[in-house]
């Protein structure tokens, strides 16, 4: 009986020891996870980007200080609400809104550029990246969104677009023939393009000129014209000065012109 009791005690002791070891392991893992979460929270709080944590329905659970700075809304004003209802306005593209709604209904992330509005009504452009957070069973429990103010970037891009359209209008609208060449290795020249007037005047086609070296265009210009152009272009590059000259030009197998 004593042996049996000792055996039982030994079994219980081993069982308790294993349970305590598992508990300590779990507690250690929990502690490590807690430290990791605290670090992530610190990063999210300190970043200048806007960070939003929402539940599986898309309602706000937490925002960082960057969100308040970007939108003008304090945390207490947005808790339990959907960000879109606060930030989207009359000029927000409905196609972008629909793409975000569709992504969330399919429980996947998205990355978009969208026109939003601050609390005071000021519009701003934001790049928003949202990712779902899933549990061990693969169910979406939360969404984490990071927003960056890209208003200045959009303004620059739009200005460049307007400037490009203006310059293209001049480039293709004038009656003066224009050729653009890049200087390449070994003193060569490559045609980047010609305008419509140059096509009309010389009978050249854009597709037979663009991207080709001057030295390769014997079939288009003729050897003598190529050599004269090469000599004069080289002098322009060497001196850094503008050159004006007259030269017979045109397609090889057609009427020449000055």
């Amino acid at each position: 009986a004593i042996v049996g009791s000792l055996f039982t005690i030994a079994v219980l002791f081993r069982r308790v020891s294993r349970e305590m070891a598992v508990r300590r392991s779990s507690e250690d893992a929990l502690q490590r996870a807690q430290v990791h979460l605290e670090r992530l929270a610190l990063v999210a709080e300190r970043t200048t980007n806007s960070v939003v944590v929402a539940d599986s329905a898309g309602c706000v659970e937490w925002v960082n200080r960057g969100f308040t700075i970007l939108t003008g809304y304090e945390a207490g004003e947005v808790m339990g609400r959907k960000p879109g209802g606060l930030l989207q306005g009359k000029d927000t593209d409905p196609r972008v809104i629909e793409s975000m709604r569709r992504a969330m209904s399919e429980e996947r992330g998205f990355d978009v550029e969208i026109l939003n509005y601050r609390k005071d009504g000021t519009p701003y452009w934001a790049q928003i990246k949202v990712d779902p957070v899933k549990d061990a069973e693969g169910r979406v429990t939360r969404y984490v969104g990071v927003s960056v103010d890209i208003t200045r970037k959009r303004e620059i891009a739009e200005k460049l677009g307007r400037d490009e359209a203006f310059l293209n209008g001049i480039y293709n609208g004038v009656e003066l023939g224009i050729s653009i060449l890049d200087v390449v290795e070994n003193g060569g020249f490559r045609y980047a393009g010609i305008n419509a007037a140059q096509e009309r005047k010389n009978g050249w086609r854009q597709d037979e000129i663009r991207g080709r070296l001057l030295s390769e265009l014997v079939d288009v210009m003729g050897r003598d014209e190529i050599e004269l152009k090469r000599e004069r272009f080289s002098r322009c590059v060497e001196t850094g000065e503008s050159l004006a000259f007259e030269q017979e030009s045109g397609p090889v197998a057609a009427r020449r012109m000055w």
Side-chain angles (χ1 to χ4, degrees):
I2 294 175
V3 173
S5 298
L6 290 173
F7 178 76
T8 302
I9 291 172
V11 170
L12 290 174
F13 179 77
R14 285 198 297 270
R15 183 182 300 170
V16 170
S17 297
R18 284 197 300 269
E19 290 176 354
M20 290 179 66
V22 170
R23 184 177 300 174
R24 280 196 301 270
S25 176
S26 299
E27 289 174 351
D28 290 344
L30 183 60
Q31 187 175 7
R32 288 194 299 270
Q34 184 66 31
V35 170
H36 182 60
L37 288 174
E38 288 174 356
R39 288 173 178 169
L40 290 177
L42 182 62
V43 171
E45 185 59 45
R46 296 294 178 86
T47 182
T48 56
N49 296 333
S50 165
V51 180
V52 176
V53 178
D55 62 19
S56 58
C59 298
V60 174
E61 291 185 335
W62 180 86
V63 297
N64 71 339
R65 184 62 185 166
F67 175 87
T68 299
I69 293 172
L70 178 61
T71 68
Y73 288 98
E74 295 292 339
E77 298 178 277
V78 299
M79 290 301 168
R81 303 180 67 177
K82 294 187 176 182
L86 293 169
L87 303 177
Q88 294 157 10
K90 61 183 182 68
D91 290 326
T92 304
D93 190 337
R95 293 170 299 181
V96 178
I97 296 174
E98 177 57 28
S99 72
M100 294 190 296
R101 286 176 178 165
R102 185 168 58 252
M104 292 191 70
S105 69
E106 296 171 0
E107 297 188 338
R108 56 182 175 83
F110 56 85
D111 189 341
V112 299
E113 292 185 4
I114 189 170
L115 181 67
N116 278 343
Y117 292 82
R118 295 185 174 88
K119 184 178 178 179
D120 62 6
T122 305
Y124 70 95
W125 281 95
Q127 180 175 4
I128 303 176
K129 188 176 190 312
V130 173
D131 290 300
V133 178
K134 299 181 180 181
D135 61 17
E137 283 73 39
R139 295 186 297 262
V140 172
T141 58
R142 287 179 176 81
Y143 289 94
V144 177
V146 178
S147 302
V148 181
D149 187 347
I150 59 168
T151 304
R152 181 60 180 159
K153 176 184 136 182
R154 292 283 301 217
E155 289 173 348
I156 292 173
E158 289 173 5
K159 183 179 184 304
L160 288 175
R162 291 193 299 269
D163 291 347
E164 183 179 7
F166 174 72
L167 292 174
N168 282 336
I170 295 175
Y171 179 66
N172 289 311
V174 298
E175 286 303 312
L176 178 67
I178 300 174
S179 299
I180 300 176
L181 296 95
D182 295 324
V183 181
V184 296
E185 294 179 358
N186 302 321
F189 299 91
R190 187 187 305 278
Y191 271 87
I194 59 176
N195 71 343
Q198 190 75 293
E199 286 186 300
R200 291 193 300 271
K201 289 178 182 295
N202 288 349
W204 302 337
R205 297 195 318 273
Q206 185 79 247
D207 60 352
E208 67 182 356
I209 292 289
R210 180 185 291 144
R212 295 180 67 184
L213 293 171
L214 177 63
S215 58
E216 297 173 344
L217 296 172
V218 176
D219 59 321
V220 179
M221 301 179 187
R223 195 171 302 280
D224 291 342
E225 180 176 348
I226 286 176
E227 184 56 32
L228 282 171
K229 286 182 183 294
R230 188 199 63 75
E231 178 185 336
R232 287 162 174 165
F233 293 161
S234 296
R235 193 188 318 158
C236 182
V237 172
E238 290 169 4
T239 63
E241 298 176 353
S242 299
L243 292 178
F245 56 87
E246 293 183 355
Q247 179 179 335
E248 187 182 26
S249 185
V252 172
R255 177 178 60 86
R256 309 293 287 185
M257 65 179 296
W258 288 89

